[in-house]
Amino acid sequence: MKSTKHIAQLTLDCVIFGFHDKKLKLILSKLKLEKDIFALPGGFILQEEDIEDAAKRVLFERTGIQDVYLEEFGTFGRTNRISDEDFLLFSSIARDLYPDVEPPVNENNQKMRIVSIGYYALVDFEKVIPQKIDLDESCDWYDIKELPNMIFDHQEMVEKGLEVLQERLDKKLLFNNLLPETFTLKDVQELYETVYDKPFPANNFQKKILDLNVLERLDKKYTGAKSKAPYLYRLKSKS
């Protein structure tokens, strides 16, 4: 039988990206505290649980979907990454959920270091309804450019997660993970412009994407307008 005990000084946190209405969004939970403070989806890792399995568990709990693109992007372990105030706030609501590790203190009743492993995930916004857990007052999507006050070093995690996404979106052709199964070239361009926060010349960009030879062209998208309808595309099957 696997242990149900958690590793007291190791957690993971997930930056879950979604793309909607030309905005890059994140899932954040509003914690059950007297003041408004938010957190990335995350939690402690079970003693006999692989770290990536723990990340997949957290993602499923918060999104309700599986087969999500997931990648580790950093480890956060500064000695002062959790202030005393944040530690006390979080401990006050986490004891019931993690009775075996909360609050993690040493024999002198001093706060122990907690190291967090950061993952980023890419999901289809339309398929996800954020789910809250017992720690949360609510859980929802937030515009990455208008994020609320977050606990611990979660703002730093978001900034690092975005930096890594910007490095890998084009190199690893990850754009389809943030779009529906079928999409237009304009959808792809708007996604790129949102992630990189800059415009791309339409003709050059679309030629670049088509020259990758990774897309399959489908029927035209019916818009009801008199203007020329764009073609729909999807990622080619690997088989």
Side-chain angles (χ1 to χ4, degrees):
M1 180 180 295
K2 288 190 174 182
S3 172
T4 57
K5 292 187 176 181
H6 298 86
I7 303 172
Q9 291 178 257
L10 183 65
T11 63
L12 63 86
D13 291 288
C14 297
V15 182
I16 305 174
F17 290 108
F19 177 65
H20 178 67
D21 197 22
K22 300 181 184 179
K23 294 178 181 179
L24 191 63
K25 299 196 171 188
L26 303 177
I27 292 179
L28 297 179
S29 63
K30 182 180 181 182
L31 300 175
K32 290 179 179 177
L33 298 172
E34 292 182 359
K35 68 175 186 177
D36 290 346
I37 194 162
F38 294 74
L40 291 168
F44 286 88
I45 301 165
L46 293 168
Q47 290 284 352
E48 297 182 20
E49 185 177 36
D50 287 346
I51 293 174
E52 186 167 322
D53 288 341
K56 290 178 180 178
R57 169 175 55 80
V58 168
L59 283 169
F60 182 72
E61 288 172 352
R62 297 316 192 107
T63 67
I65 60 175
Q66 296 176 319
D67 299 323
V68 171
Y69 183 85
L70 176 70
E71 188 172 357
E72 182 182 337
F73 70 86
T75 302
F76 298 79
R78 287 186 290 104
T79 55
N80 62 343
R81 66 175 293 260
I82 301 177
S83 68
D84 290 341
E85 180 185 7
D86 279 358
F87 178 79
L88 290 173
L89 283 170
F90 184 74
S91 297
S92 69
I93 61 172
R95 290 188 182 94
D96 291 339
L97 195 60
Y98 304 108
D100 55 319
V101 296
E102 288 296 335
V105 295
N106 62 19
E107 61 275 11
N108 297 318
N109 206 35
Q110 295 174 322
K111 178 184 66 178
M112 295 168 65
R113 288 181 65 184
I114 300 177
V115 175
S116 184
I117 300 172
Y119 280 83
Y120 76 95
L122 309 178
V123 302
D124 179 350
F125 179 92
E126 299 294 342
K127 292 183 177 179
V128 173
I129 299 176
Q131 305 293 316
K132 67 178 183 178
I133 60 174
D134 289 345
L135 293 174
D136 307 331
E137 180 179 316
S138 63
C139 186
D140 210 339
W141 287 105
Y142 292 84
D143 186 344
I144 196 170
K145 290 188 174 182
E146 299 177 356
L147 294 179
N149 180 39
M150 287 187 282
I151 203 167
F152 305 158
D153 53 0
H154 287 194
Q155 178 66 45
E156 180 184 340
M157 288 185 177
V158 170
E159 292 169 0
K160 180 63 176 178
L162 177 59
E163 178 184 322
V164 173
L165 175 60
Q166 290 170 336
E167 291 174 356
R168 299 176 186 174
L169 180 72
D170 198 44
K171 290 180 182 178
K172 302 182 72 170
L173 303 180
L174 301 177
F175 59 84
N176 65 295
N177 295 284
L178 286 163
L179 294 171
E181 183 179 354
T182 61
F183 45 81
T184 66
L185 291 178
K186 184 179 179 182
D187 293 333
V188 180
Q189 181 173 345
E190 289 176 348
L191 171 60
Y192 268 70
E193 290 178 339
T194 300
V195 171
Y196 293 106
D197 198 20
K198 66 179 183 180
F200 291 91
N203 290 339
N204 291 344
F205 179 84
Q206 293 186 10
K207 182 179 184 303
K208 168 193 166 180
I209 295 298
L210 291 175
D211 285 348
L212 294 172
N213 197 30
V214 296
L215 298 181
E216 175 186 358
R217 193 171 78 175
L218 307 172
D219 294 333
K220 289 187 176 183
K221 179 179 181 180
Y222 177 72
T223 62
K226 293 182 179 179
S227 58
K228 186 177 179 180
Y231 280 102
L232 286 170
Y233 292 83
R234 67 183 175 198
L235 207 64
K236 285 184 178 179
S237 173
K238 294 181 180 180
S239 58

